[in-house]
Amino acid sequence: MSIMKKTITAGIAALSVAGALAATAPAAQARDHYRHHGDDVLLGAAAGIAGGLIGGAIVSGSQRPVYVEPQYKYAPPPPPPVVYRRAYYAAPPPPPRCHHEWVENEYGEAYRARVCY
């Protein structure tokens, strides 16, 4: 509880006690001068009920936890694993079979040429 909250709570309690003492009639004036029959009882009962409701609301509002755990936002779950299907492809054709030969051009000059089947 913070210092300010304790001070305010103690001040409200002191004012409540002082107000209750000031509102009660001294014993010397507790006579029925005007002959009101039952009106003061209902008024006192209504004031007591209203005071109880207000006091209960104040007290219930002050009953908060001192420390609240923070609500963490967790990361979403990982995506499901990817399943690869087997794909069957035709085998690539074999590389061509090549070799080098000596060839002559139209002028009779020899050169090497690559010959593939």
Side-chain angles (χ1 to χ4, degrees), residues 5 8 10-11 19 21 26 30 41-42 48 52 56 60 69 73 82 86-87 94 96 99 103-105 107-110:
K5 195 169 188 179
I8 291 174
L21 290 175
V41 174
L42 292 177
S60 69
E69 271 191 50
K73 296 198 176 202
V82 179
R86 290 187 179 182
H99 66 279
V103 184
E104 292 183 358
N105 63 5
Y107 302 110
E109 299 172 341

mmCIF file of all heavy atoms in Angstrom, residues 5 8 10-11 19 21 26 30 41-42 48 52 56 60 69 73 82 86-87 94 96 99 103-105 107-110:
data_model
loop_
_atom_site.group_PDB
_atom_site.id
_atom_site.type_symbol
_atom_site.label_atom_id
_atom_site.label_comp_id
_atom_site.label_asym_id
_atom_site.label_seq_id
_atom_site.Cartn_x
_atom_site.Cartn_y
_atom_site.Cartn_z
ATOM 1 N N LYS A 5 -2.069 6.374 -0.112
ATOM 2 C CA LYS A 5 -3.291 5.601 0.094
ATOM 3 C C LYS A 5 -3.545 5.375 1.583
ATOM 4 O O LYS A 5 -4.677 5.449 2.049
ATOM 5 C CB LYS A 5 -3.186 4.277 -0.642
ATOM 6 C CG LYS A 5 -4.491 3.561 -0.805
ATOM 7 C CD LYS A 5 -4.344 2.410 -1.764
ATOM 8 C CE LYS A 5 -5.684 1.818 -2.081
ATOM 9 N NZ LYS A 5 -5.584 0.734 -3.015
ATOM 10 N N ILE A 8 -4.814 8.716 3.078
ATOM 11 C CA ILE A 8 -6.214 8.984 2.719
ATOM 12 C C ILE A 8 -7.149 8.061 3.490
ATOM 13 O O ILE A 8 -8.202 8.488 3.991
ATOM 14 C CB ILE A 8 -6.400 8.835 1.198
ATOM 15 C CG1 ILE A 8 -5.676 9.975 0.480
ATOM 16 C CG2 ILE A 8 -7.869 8.833 0.816
ATOM 17 C CD1 ILE A 8 -5.658 9.853 -1.020
ATOM 18 N N ALA A 10 -6.636 6.637 6.426
ATOM 19 C CA ALA A 10 -6.671 7.049 7.829
ATOM 20 C C ALA A 10 -7.489 8.325 7.998
ATOM 21 O O ALA A 10 -8.251 8.477 8.972
ATOM 22 C CB ALA A 10 -5.250 7.264 8.344
ATOM 23 N N GLY A 11 -7.386 9.249 7.044
ATOM 24 C CA GLY A 11 -8.171 10.485 7.100
ATOM 25 C C GLY A 11 -9.657 10.225 6.982
ATOM 26 O O GLY A 11 -10.473 10.820 7.704
ATOM 27 N N GLY A 19 -17.540 12.419 12.440
ATOM 28 C CA GLY A 19 -18.914 12.666 11.983
ATOM 29 C C GLY A 19 -19.930 11.886 12.795
ATOM 30 O O GLY A 19 -21.021 12.389 13.103
ATOM 31 N N LEU A 21 -19.594 10.956 15.943
ATOM 32 C CA LEU A 21 -19.675 11.570 17.270
ATOM 33 C C LEU A 21 -20.438 12.893 17.225
ATOM 34 O O LEU A 21 -21.191 13.216 18.154
ATOM 35 C CB LEU A 21 -18.273 11.789 17.845
ATOM 36 C CG LEU A 21 -17.512 10.519 18.241
ATOM 37 C CD1 LEU A 21 -16.097 10.870 18.682
ATOM 38 C CD2 LEU A 21 -18.250 9.772 19.339
ATOM 39 N N PRO A 26 -26.397 14.485 22.397
ATOM 40 C CA PRO A 26 -25.954 14.268 23.774
ATOM 41 C C PRO A 26 -27.102 13.710 24.634
ATOM 42 O O PRO A 26 -28.274 13.824 24.290
ATOM 43 C CB PRO A 26 -25.526 15.640 24.255
ATOM 44 C CG PRO A 26 -25.748 16.593 23.144
ATOM 45 C CD PRO A 26 -26.319 15.853 22.002
ATOM 46 N N ALA A 30 -31.741 14.059 24.439
ATOM 47 C CA ALA A 30 -32.355 12.889 23.839
ATOM 48 C C ALA A 30 -33.804 12.736 24.279
ATOM 49 O O ALA A 30 -34.278 11.636 24.506
ATOM 50 C CB ALA A 30 -31.561 11.654 24.196
ATOM 51 N N VAL A 41 -36.897 6.746 13.946
ATOM 52 C CA VAL A 41 -36.379 5.383 13.828
ATOM 53 C C VAL A 41 -36.187 5.021 12.360
ATOM 54 O O VAL A 41 -35.151 4.458 11.969
ATOM 55 C CB VAL A 41 -37.323 4.384 14.523
ATOM 56 C CG1 VAL A 41 -36.861 2.965 14.268
ATOM 57 C CG2 VAL A 41 -37.397 4.668 16.006
ATOM 58 N N LEU A 42 -37.154 5.339 11.515
ATOM 59 C CA LEU A 42 -37.031 5.030 10.087
ATOM 60 C C LEU A 42 -35.915 5.842 9.438
ATOM 61 O O LEU A 42 -35.174 5.338 8.596
ATOM 62 C CB LEU A 42 -38.358 5.297 9.373
ATOM 63 C CG LEU A 42 -39.511 4.351 9.752
ATOM 64 C CD1 LEU A 42 -40.777 4.775 9.041
ATOM 65 C CD2 LEU A 42 -39.153 2.932 9.395
ATOM 66 N N GLY A 48 -28.442 4.444 8.354
ATOM 67 C CA GLY A 48 -27.529 3.339 8.647
ATOM 68 C C GLY A 48 -27.322 2.434 7.446
ATOM 69 O O GLY A 48 -26.198 2.003 7.149
ATOM 70 N N GLY A 52 -23.879 2.036 5.445
ATOM 71 C CA GLY A 52 -23.304 0.701 5.282
ATOM 72 C C GLY A 52 -22.982 0.386 3.824
ATOM 73 O O GLY A 52 -21.943 -0.197 3.515
ATOM 74 N N GLY A 56 -19.269 -0.054 2.556
ATOM 75 C CA GLY A 56 -18.932 -1.339 1.930
ATOM 76 C C GLY A 56 -18.321 -1.143 0.553
ATOM 77 O O GLY A 56 -17.393 -1.862 0.161
ATOM 78 N N SER A 60 -14.591 -2.381 -0.274
ATOM 79 C CA SER A 60 -14.393 -3.411 -1.292
ATOM 80 C C SER A 60 -13.518 -2.888 -2.426
ATOM 81 O O SER A 60 -12.823 -3.664 -3.070
ATOM 82 C CB SER A 60 -15.731 -3.878 -1.848
ATOM 83 O OG SER A 60 -16.324 -2.846 -2.618
ATOM 84 N N GLU A 69 0.744 -10.255 -11.685
ATOM 85 C CA GLU A 69 1.682 -10.758 -12.676
ATOM 86 C C GLU A 69 1.325 -10.206 -14.037
ATOM 87 O O GLU A 69 0.161 -10.162 -14.417
ATOM 88 C CB GLU A 69 1.603 -12.296 -12.745
ATOM 89 C CG GLU A 69 2.517 -12.972 -11.782
ATOM 90 C CD GLU A 69 2.617 -14.453 -12.055
ATOM 91 O OE1 GLU A 69 2.858 -14.830 -13.206
ATOM 92 O OE2 GLU A 69 2.447 -15.210 -11.108
ATOM 93 N N LYS A 73 2.358 -12.028 -23.748
ATOM 94 C CA LYS A 73 1.806 -12.527 -25.011
ATOM 95 C C LYS A 73 2.810 -13.524 -25.562
ATOM 96 O O LYS A 73 3.926 -13.164 -25.915
ATOM 97 C CB LYS A 73 1.586 -11.375 -25.982
ATOM 98 C CG LYS A 73 0.556 -10.413 -25.473
ATOM 99 C CD LYS A 73 0.039 -9.570 -26.580
ATOM 100 C CE LYS A 73 -1.061 -8.716 -25.968
ATOM 101 N NZ LYS A 73 -1.980 -8.238 -26.901
ATOM 102 N N VAL A 82 6.275 -29.337 -43.079
ATOM 103 C CA VAL A 82 5.954 -29.471 -44.496
ATOM 104 C C VAL A 82 6.262 -30.900 -44.918
ATOM 105 O O VAL A 82 7.340 -31.421 -44.640
ATOM 106 C CB VAL A 82 6.771 -28.465 -45.331
ATOM 107 C CG1 VAL A 82 6.463 -28.615 -46.804
ATOM 108 C CG2 VAL A 82 6.480 -27.061 -44.860
ATOM 109 N N ARG A 86 6.823 -37.593 -52.903
ATOM 110 C CA ARG A 86 7.846 -38.078 -53.833
ATOM 111 C C ARG A 86 7.347 -37.853 -55.255
ATOM 112 O O ARG A 86 6.204 -38.145 -55.580
ATOM 113 C CB ARG A 86 8.118 -39.555 -53.628
ATOM 114 C CG ARG A 86 8.820 -39.860 -52.351
ATOM 115 C CD ARG A 86 9.202 -41.301 -52.297
ATOM 116 N NE ARG A 86 9.907 -41.567 -51.060
ATOM 117 C CZ ARG A 86 10.399 -42.729 -50.743
ATOM 118 N NH1 ARG A 86 10.281 -43.741 -51.566
ATOM 119 N NH2 ARG A 86 11.021 -42.900 -49.607
ATOM 120 N N ALA A 87 8.219 -37.321 -56.045
ATOM 121 C CA ALA A 87 7.879 -37.108 -57.451
ATOM 122 C C ALA A 87 8.809 -37.986 -58.287
ATOM 123 O O ALA A 87 10.018 -37.986 -58.087
ATOM 124 C CB ALA A 87 8.053 -35.644 -57.810
ATOM 125 N N PRO A 94 21.110 -40.323 -71.388
ATOM 126 C CA PRO A 94 22.553 -40.461 -71.163
ATOM 127 C C PRO A 94 23.307 -39.417 -71.992
ATOM 128 O O PRO A 94 22.836 -38.986 -73.038
ATOM 129 C CB PRO A 94 22.876 -41.881 -71.615
ATOM 130 C CG PRO A 94 21.778 -42.228 -72.552
ATOM 131 C CD PRO A 94 20.570 -41.485 -72.103
ATOM 132 N N PRO A 96 25.830 -37.778 -74.567
ATOM 133 C CA PRO A 96 26.241 -38.321 -75.875
ATOM 134 C C PRO A 96 27.654 -38.901 -75.812
ATOM 135 O O PRO A 96 28.490 -38.429 -75.047
ATOM 136 C CB PRO A 96 26.177 -37.103 -76.804
ATOM 137 C CG PRO A 96 26.308 -35.931 -75.896
ATOM 138 C CD PRO A 96 25.697 -36.335 -74.588
ATOM 139 N N HIS A 99 33.935 -38.616 -79.379
ATOM 140 C CA HIS A 99 35.384 -38.843 -79.443
ATOM 141 C C HIS A 99 35.956 -37.845 -80.456
ATOM 142 O O HIS A 99 35.219 -37.186 -81.184
ATOM 143 C CB HIS A 99 35.698 -40.298 -79.821
ATOM 144 C CG HIS A 99 35.278 -40.660 -81.198
ATOM 145 N ND1 HIS A 99 34.002 -41.002 -81.523
ATOM 146 C CD2 HIS A 99 36.004 -40.711 -82.356
ATOM 147 C CE1 HIS A 99 33.915 -41.263 -82.812
ATOM 148 N NE2 HIS A 99 35.125 -41.093 -83.341
ATOM 149 N N VAL A 103 40.403 -34.906 -89.111
ATOM 150 C CA VAL A 103 39.617 -34.737 -90.331
ATOM 151 C C VAL A 103 40.370 -33.748 -91.240
ATOM 152 O O VAL A 103 41.037 -32.847 -90.761
ATOM 153 C CB VAL A 103 38.214 -34.195 -89.998
ATOM 154 C CG1 VAL A 103 37.353 -34.105 -91.238
ATOM 155 C CG2 VAL A 103 37.531 -35.052 -88.957
ATOM 156 N N GLU A 104 40.198 -33.909 -92.536
ATOM 157 C CA GLU A 104 40.819 -32.981 -93.491
ATOM 158 C C GLU A 104 39.758 -32.106 -94.109
ATOM 159 O O GLU A 104 38.678 -32.566 -94.427
ATOM 160 C CB GLU A 104 41.541 -33.744 -94.601
ATOM 161 C CG GLU A 104 42.748 -34.487 -94.123
ATOM 162 C CD GLU A 104 43.459 -35.172 -95.277
ATOM 163 O OE1 GLU A 104 42.972 -35.089 -96.430
ATOM 164 O OE2 GLU A 104 44.472 -35.779 -95.021
ATOM 165 N N ASN A 105 40.110 -30.856 -94.297
ATOM 166 C CA ASN A 105 39.165 -29.963 -94.962
ATOM 167 C C ASN A 105 39.350 -30.069 -96.474
ATOM 168 O O ASN A 105 40.154 -30.866 -96.955
ATOM 169 C CB ASN A 105 39.321 -28.534 -94.448
ATOM 170 C CG ASN A 105 40.665 -27.932 -94.732
ATOM 171 O OD1 ASN A 105 41.487 -28.545 -95.408
ATOM 172 N ND2 ASN A 105 40.902 -26.734 -94.204
ATOM 173 N N TYR A 107 40.890 -28.288 -98.479
ATOM 174 C CA TYR A 107 42.218 -27.914 -98.969
ATOM 175 C C TYR A 107 43.272 -28.935 -98.561
ATOM 176 O O TYR A 107 44.439 -28.738 -98.798
ATOM 177 C CB TYR A 107 42.615 -26.537 -98.457
ATOM 178 C CG TYR A 107 41.623 -25.466 -98.875
ATOM 179 C CD1 TYR A 107 40.806 -24.874 -97.943
ATOM 180 C CD2 TYR A 107 41.527 -25.084 -100.214
ATOM 181 C CE1 TYR A 107 39.895 -23.913 -98.315
ATOM 182 C CE2 TYR A 107 40.611 -24.118 -100.598
ATOM 183 C CZ TYR A 107 39.797 -23.534 -99.636
ATOM 184 O OH TYR A 107 38.887 -22.593 -100.020
ATOM 185 N N GLY A 108 42.856 -29.967 -97.820
ATOM 186 C CA GLY A 108 43.780 -31.004 -97.424
ATOM 187 C C GLY A 108 44.468 -30.744 -96.097
ATOM 188 O O GLY A 108 45.405 -31.436 -95.731
ATOM 189 N N GLU A 109 44.022 -29.742 -95.356
ATOM 190 C CA GLU A 109 44.601 -29.448 -94.060
ATOM 191 C C GLU A 109 43.934 -30.293 -93.004
ATOM 192 O O GLU A 109 42.707 -30.413 -92.982
ATOM 193 C CB GLU A 109 44.460 -27.969 -93.733
ATOM 194 C CG GLU A 109 45.170 -27.073 -94.713
ATOM 195 C CD GLU A 109 44.851 -25.622 -94.477
ATOM 196 O OE1 GLU A 109 43.826 -25.302 -93.809
ATOM 197 O OE2 GLU A 109 45.620 -24.792 -94.918
ATOM 198 N N ALA A 110 44.739 -30.880 -92.127
ATOM 199 C CA ALA A 110 44.195 -31.747 -91.071
ATOM 200 C C ALA A 110 43.888 -30.917 -89.807
ATOM 201 O O ALA A 110 44.599 -29.994 -89.444
ATOM 202 C CB ALA A 110 45.179 -32.856 -90.749
#
